[in-house]
Amino acid sequence: MKEFVYLDNAATTKVRPEVVEAMLPYFTEIYGNASAVYDFGQKCKQAIEDARETIGSSIGTKASNIYFTAGGSESDNWALKGVAEAYKDKGKHIITTKIEHHAILHTCAYLEQQGYEVTYLDVDADGLVSPEDVKKAIRPDTILISVMFANNEIGTIEPIEEIGAIAHEHGILFHTDAVQAYAQVPIDVEKMHIDLLSASGHKLNGPKGIGFLYIRQGLKLKSFIHGGAQERKRRAGTENVPGIVGLDKAVEIAMATMDERIKKESELRDYLIARIEDEIPFAKLNGHRVKRLPNNINFCFRFIEGESMLIMLDMAGICGSSGSACTSGSLDPSHVLLAIGLPHEIAHGSLRLTLSDEITKEQLDYVVDHLKEIVAKLRSMSPLYEDYAKKHLS
Ligand SMILES: *Cc1c(COP(=O)(O)O)cnc(C)c1O
């Protein structure tokens, strides 16, 4: 029987029913403008401030350091362009990595056009950034270090606390794109020396088009959207009250369930990884085996195109991804897989499966059964595979 198994939670997630329920009154009943003086508007203002409180405490900071944005991409753009603009008299050098999301990489490319210099750090074969490399890349004119908390393709969790400590020893600001890691693993901005942190609602069972940027108190940062006085005059625009209320609810649930989700998802993750490694030949796990998001599985299957695999999985009702959601559709292999040293032809055959807390072991068995057949079928059409298998499978 054909099932529906959604394993693309790194691309986006299902909004929880409790989240929808919390949002609904803010469309049709409490729809006031949060800037208005009457009580009706003030109710919206209160909901926004409650959300700020929930989110602030989820990362160990005050509510007043949380600024709502339209999502992860906006938060990343704001952090980088905002620091670049505000600190340009101090210097014009930024350090980041080769495996960042395009919201960071393309913003850095834009800043390079504006006369900034960017160092893109290499990663090791597991996708880890070396704190030592960060230290070596620092120059007198370095104003910002931006390293993602966890990678969206291969799930590797970076040594954020060590990198943050290095940044602060040198008096340099530290930003992390935590869109994949936030509410999936514990984060403490004080302990980890984080000055700016980006997160997004739709990656944690909240609505799309809402996110936030944490900005350390006292940090100079140019406002990104000019207009009204919302968000302490730093981000103009009538607040997305339903989105903010939905994000509040999603964060509340995610934080309350984090420990059990980590346990459940990492067990299922390791189960799926073990079955694939045991039952499908020439399958290579990408990303760090242990320092890894609890819900991420990423494999390369030699002699196979990722896209063909996705189409055949889709016919069995299974949603996965090859490369990142933003790059699929293009034929370039993922910049992340190239950065961990995979050759082009292998990087093309990658498959990312990302779990949610609704996934069951039975569903994963269904996935492996189909995956085995699909990989075998696609390989049977490859003359290269036949030769290779003869040599390497006894
Ligand atoms: C999804 C994602 C983004 C972009 O977030 P949006 O809310 O979709 O704009 C940025 N960085 C990472 C690591 C992501 O996974």
Side-chain angles (χ1 to χ4, degrees):
M1 203 184 69
K2 183 169 157 175
E3 290 192 33
F4 177 74
V5 190
Y6 183 77
L7 292 176
D8 202 13
N9 288 280
T12 197
T13 57
K14 171 168 141 181
V15 180
R16 288 188 200 278
E18 301 94 313
V19 170
V20 177
E21 209 177 299
M23 291 171 75
L24 282 177
Y26 289 88
F27 287 107
T28 50
E29 290 160 40
I30 321 168
Y31 53 82
N33 188 312
S35 303
V37 287
Y38 38 79
D39 180 59
F40 189 51
Q42 289 303 305
K43 283 208 173 85
C44 296
K45 176 131 193 78
Q46 191 53 51
I48 294 172
E49 296 319 312
D50 289 349
R52 229 187 281 285
E53 195 70 48
T54 308
I55 293 165
S57 71
S58 73
I59 55 171
T61 192
K62 287 198 298 196
S64 55
N65 297 330
I66 303 300
Y67 295 82
F68 293 108
T69 66
S73 299
E74 183 186 318
S75 298
D76 285 345
N77 271 260
W78 187 12
L80 268 57
K81 292 176 189 166
V83 168
E85 173 75 17
Y87 291 82
K88 62 172 184 263
D89 292 338
K90 185 179 171 235
K92 289 189 140 190
H93 179 237
I94 294 167
I95 299 170
T96 187
T97 80
K98 288 188 176 164
I99 61 163
E100 299 294 312
H101 189 273
H102 283 134
I104 295 289
L105 291 179
H106 290 171
T107 304
C108 285
Y110 166 80
L111 288 171
E112 284 179 300
Q113 288 169 2
Q114 306 301 309
Y116 290 83
E117 277 184 77
V118 182
T119 299
Y120 299 91
L121 298 174
D122 285 316
V123 295
D124 72 8
D126 290 325
L128 282 174
V129 177
S130 143
E132 221 23 66
D133 288 352
V134 174
K135 203 183 273 181
K136 281 189 216 138
I138 291 173
R139 313 192 316 206
D141 61 342
T142 306
I143 51 173
L144 178 69
I145 296 170
S146 179
V147 176
M148 70 198 321
F149 205 109
N151 184 267
N152 48 303
E153 291 186 36
I154 58 175
T156 299
I157 299 174
E158 301 298 342
I160 290 301
E161 190 171 338
E162 284 160 86
I163 296 170
I166 291 167
H168 283 187
E169 273 162 30
H170 291 80
I172 298 167
L173 295 174
F174 180 45
H175 167 254
T176 186
D177 173 345
V179 174
Q180 289 294 331
Y182 175 63
Q184 308 292 342
V185 296
I187 298 178
D188 183 324
V189 293
E190 289 306 326
K191 182 166 156 261
M192 296 174 170
H193 317 280
I194 298 166
D195 299 305
L196 297 138
L197 177 144
S198 308
S200 175
H202 74 100
K203 302 286 175 79
L204 52 114
N205 305 100
K208 293 172 178 60
I210 186 76
F212 70 87
L213 179 65
Y214 152 73
I215 308 175
R216 179 178 291 281
Q217 192 172 344
L219 199 151
K220 287 190 286 176
L221 198 65
K222 295 286 174 181
S223 63
F224 189 56
I225 309 247
H226 303 279
Q230 294 92 351
E231 301 297 292
R232 311 168 118 216
K233 298 193 182 154
R234 289 179 123 174
R235 199 279 188 184
T238 302
E239 296 89 343
N240 173 2
V241 183
I244 292 170
V245 168
L247 179 62
D248 184 3
K249 194 68 183 175
V251 170
E252 185 194 312
I253 298 172
M255 296 309 290
T257 58
M258 189 191 297
D259 292 347
E260 61 182 279
R261 279 185 301 122
I262 290 176
K263 185 171 181 296
K264 181 185 171 193
E265 288 177 21
S266 49
E267 273 172 25
L268 286 175
R269 173 197 68 192
D270 295 341
Y271 173 73
L272 185 56
I273 289 174
R275 276 207 65 187
I276 291 175
E277 288 184 329
D278 288 349
E279 298 173 42
I280 303 181
F282 313 121
K284 182 196 171 293
L285 178 71
N286 297 314
H288 198 283
R289 211 170 268 276
V290 183
K291 294 173 189 165
R292 183 179 197 98
L293 286 174
N295 73 342
N296 176 290
I297 295 110
N298 187 311
F299 272 95
C300 278
F301 300 96
R302 294 195 71 157
F303 308 103
I304 293 182
E305 287 283 335
E307 295 291 314
S308 331
M309 235 182 319
L310 289 186
I311 292 165
M312 291 176 76
L313 284 167
D314 185 38
M315 291 194 286
I318 300 163
C319 307
S321 136
S322 173
S324 80
C326 321
T327 49
S328 54
S330 85
L331 282 174
D332 292 336
S334 134
H335 65 284
V336 177
L337 297 180
L338 295 181
I340 61 173
L342 296 185
H344 275 251
E345 67 276 14
I346 295 180
H348 272 302
S350 83
L351 176 69
R352 179 187 72 183
L353 302 173
T354 41
L355 311 172
S356 72
D357 60 353
E358 290 186 351
I359 291 296
T360 63
K361 201 169 166 191
E362 289 68 36
Q363 286 177 309
L364 295 185
D365 288 332
Y366 173 84
V367 170
V368 178
D369 292 344
H370 281 275
L371 192 58
K372 272 163 71 173
E373 265 177 45
I374 289 167
V375 169
K377 191 161 181 187
L378 289 171
R379 281 179 175 165
S380 74
M381 298 189 280
S382 161
L384 286 174
Y385 178 70
E386 218 175 293
D387 289 347
Y388 189 86
K390 255 185 231 152
K391 271 188 223 133
H392 293 88
L393 284 179
S394 49

